[in-house]
């Protein structure tokens, strides 16, 4: 059920926004400068608390809630980049089940983060390397987030797909060594699976997470500049030694 266009102080919205749990969620939402929204539901998907006015009361029909409640078994859930249900802006959902002393799922808590949670570190990393940064979603087979530099995002994505083959599974990129690809005339890329620390998921260690691969790509001519510079330096030193020793 969608919330009416009412004032934040109106009932029953006031009850959801002004209770001890809602106050705690509001405190968590203000931890840093990132835009985030938190809410909590009961075991039936009914909203019981929120850090701000949500889109609707009933959450049990939402994919994030169904994955988190998991038929009463409960599991942590991290979405890929998805459109927000109320604004359509790209966001990431993080949710965990609430369990009682008997380990029964009695509710859920969800946090909704703006996509800059991903793009900020990607921007910093790709900026330092003057390269294009891509987070590729293996499940949906498309780019979840990207920061474009010299090499076009699509070219970097295609270079990665050619490297791991048609399956393009996360298993195609070794967890320890990652993957490097250098092909004449194509972007030079490095790729590695994004790991999720499952020690943090809590309830029985079950979690549903996206299958992301981070890819850094650089136009071949730019990536090879240090090599060309080194080669030229060696050539000059070699010529200098020849002149000194034999002329």
């Amino acid at each position: 059920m969608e919330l009416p266009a009412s004032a934040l102080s109106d009932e029953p919205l006031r009850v959801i926004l002004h209770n001890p749990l809602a106050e705690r969620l509001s405190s968590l939402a203000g931890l840093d400068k990132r835009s985030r929204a938190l809410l909590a539901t009961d075991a039936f998907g009914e909203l019981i608390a929120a850090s701000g006015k949500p889109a609707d009361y009933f959450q049990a029909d939402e994919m994030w809630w169904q994955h988190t409640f998991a038929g009463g078994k409960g599991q942590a859930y991290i979405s890929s980049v998805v459109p927000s249900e109320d604004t359509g802006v790209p966001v990431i959902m993080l949710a965990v089940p609430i369990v009682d002393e008997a380990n029964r799922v009695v509710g859920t808590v969800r946090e909704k983060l703006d996509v800059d949670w991903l793009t900020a570190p990607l921007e910093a990393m790709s900026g330092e390397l003057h390269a294009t940064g891509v987070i590729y979603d293996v499940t949906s087979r498309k780019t979840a987030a990207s920061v474009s530099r010299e090499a076009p995002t699509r070219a970097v994505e295609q270079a990665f797909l050619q490297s791991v083959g048609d399956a393009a599974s996360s298993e195609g990129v070794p967890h320890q060594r990652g993957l490097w690809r250098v092909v004449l005339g194509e972007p030079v890329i490095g790729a590695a699976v994004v790991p999720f620390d499952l020690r943090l998921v809590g309830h029985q260690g079950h979690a549903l997470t996206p299958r992301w691969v981070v890819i850094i790509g650089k136009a071949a001519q730019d990536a090879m500049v240090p090599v060309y510079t080194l080669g030229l330096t060696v050539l000059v030193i070699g010529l200098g030694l020849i002149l000194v020793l034999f002329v």
Side-chain angles (χ1 to χ4, degrees):
M1 180 176 62
E2 292 187 358
L3 289 169
S6 55
L8 296 180
S9 59
D10 290 351
E11 297 281 358
L13 188 57
R14 187 192 65 79
V15 177
I16 293 171
L17 297 178
H18 301 283
N19 61 61
L21 179 55
E23 292 174 4
R24 188 170 292 247
L25 294 178
S26 296
S27 297
L28 291 173
L31 281 178
D32 53 35
K33 295 181 180 179
R34 298 196 187 285
S35 177
R36 64 182 75 214
L38 292 98
L39 58 79
T41 77
D42 61 18
F44 302 101
E46 294 287 346
L47 201 61
I48 57 175
S51 63
K53 184 178 179 180
D56 54 46
Y57 289 117
F58 190 62
Q59 299 291 319
D61 57 348
E62 299 289 344
M63 184 177 295
W64 74 264
W65 190 92
Q66 294 169 7
H67 284 311
T68 307
F69 188 70
K73 296 179 180 178
Q75 66 178 351
Y77 172 69
I78 302 176
S79 76
S80 189
V81 177
V82 296
S84 175
E85 68 272 14
D86 50 351
T87 64
V89 173
V91 296
I92 300 161
M93 307 277 193
L94 296 87
V96 292
I98 303 171
V99 297
D100 62 13
E101 293 179 354
N103 214 31
R104 295 172 300 191
V105 178
V106 295
T108 65
V109 174
R110 187 210 71 187
E111 180 179 23
K112 183 168 65 176
L113 284 167
D114 278 357
V115 74
D116 66 358
W117 180 67
L118 278 182
T119 56
L122 196 62
E123 175 83 36
M125 180 172 55
S126 59
E128 183 179 345
L129 298 172
H130 302 288
T132 292
V134 174
I135 293 181
Y136 183 77
D137 188 316
V138 173
T139 302
S140 63
R141 297 179 66 88
K142 65 181 182 181
T143 293
S146 66
V147 176
S148 249
R149 300 288 181 179
E150 291 88 348
T153 297
R154 183 61 179 167
V156 171
E157 180 184 304
Q158 286 301 314
F160 165 73
L161 292 176
Q162 290 170 15
S163 298
V164 298
D166 293 335
S169 65
S170 60
E171 289 79 10
V173 182
H175 286 257
Q176 300 300 323
R177 296 184 295 105
L179 176 147
W180 288 95
R181 183 176 191 267
V182 182
V183 176
L184 188 63
E186 296 183 10
V188 175
I189 68 164
V193 172
V194 176
F196 291 91
D197 191 343
L198 299 185
R199 292 175 301 174
L200 303 179
V201 303
H203 184 63
Q204 299 181 2
H206 298 304
L208 181 61
T209 63
R211 298 169 66 196
W212 284 337
V213 176
V214 61
I215 313 166
I216 296 296
K218 197 172 179 68
Q221 63 270 25
D222 297 323
M224 296 303 289
V225 166
V227 177
Y228 298 148
T229 303
L230 177 60
L232 181 60
T233 302
V234 171
L235 177 61
V236 171
I237 292 173
L239 290 175
L241 288 174
I242 291 173
L243 290 174
V244 170
L245 296 175
F246 301 103
V247 176

